[in-house]
Amino acid sequence: MKYIAKNNFELKEVAGEYMLIPRGASTVDFNGVIVFNEAGVEIYKALSEEVTLEALAQLLVDKYNIDSETATADATEYIEKMLEAEIIEVA
């Protein structure tokens, strides 16, 4: 299964923190902002194109030198939270 970011959010760096801010009509439906840590930023940026969970896990392995089991668990958690927040979708 592949995932992709919805185009109604913008990633901004504000005072050293990365925030996902709604834009357009989504500002009515989405109340607030989402703050990402460094790994979350990498995952969200990768989601600008269709990408699999496995590819996201490999990105974390390569970037942070962690084992694939941990990377898969972390990527799964990010995907689940982003789907729930409706900032990404199944491609």
Side-chain angles (χ1 to χ4, degrees), residues 28-46:
V28 174
D29 299 328
F30 190 87
N31 186 15
V33 297
I34 296 174
V35 178
F36 284 124
N37 63 15
E38 187 179 335
V41 170
E42 293 297 327
I43 288 174
Y44 186 76
K45 285 179 178 179

Side-chain angles (χ1 to χ4, degrees), residues 40-76:
V41 170
E42 293 297 327
I43 288 174
Y44 186 76
K45 285 179 178 179
L47 287 160
S48 65
E49 299 179 4
E50 292 182 7
V51 65
T52 64
L53 177 63
E54 293 79 13
L56 292 173
Q58 188 60 50
L59 172 81
L60 295 177
V61 168
D62 295 342
K63 177 89 176 169
Y64 300 104
N65 197 27
I66 59 176
D67 64 88
S68 61
E69 186 176 309
T70 300
T72 299
D74 289 352
T76 299

Side-chain angles (χ1 to χ4, degrees), residues 11-35:
L11 185 64
K12 292 273 192 181
E13 183 181 4
V14 178
E17 290 191 301
Y18 285 91
M19 300 178 184
L20 196 60
I21 301 170
R23 61 180 178 194
S26 64
T27 58
V28 174
D29 299 328
F30 190 87
N31 186 15
V33 297
I34 296 174
V35 178

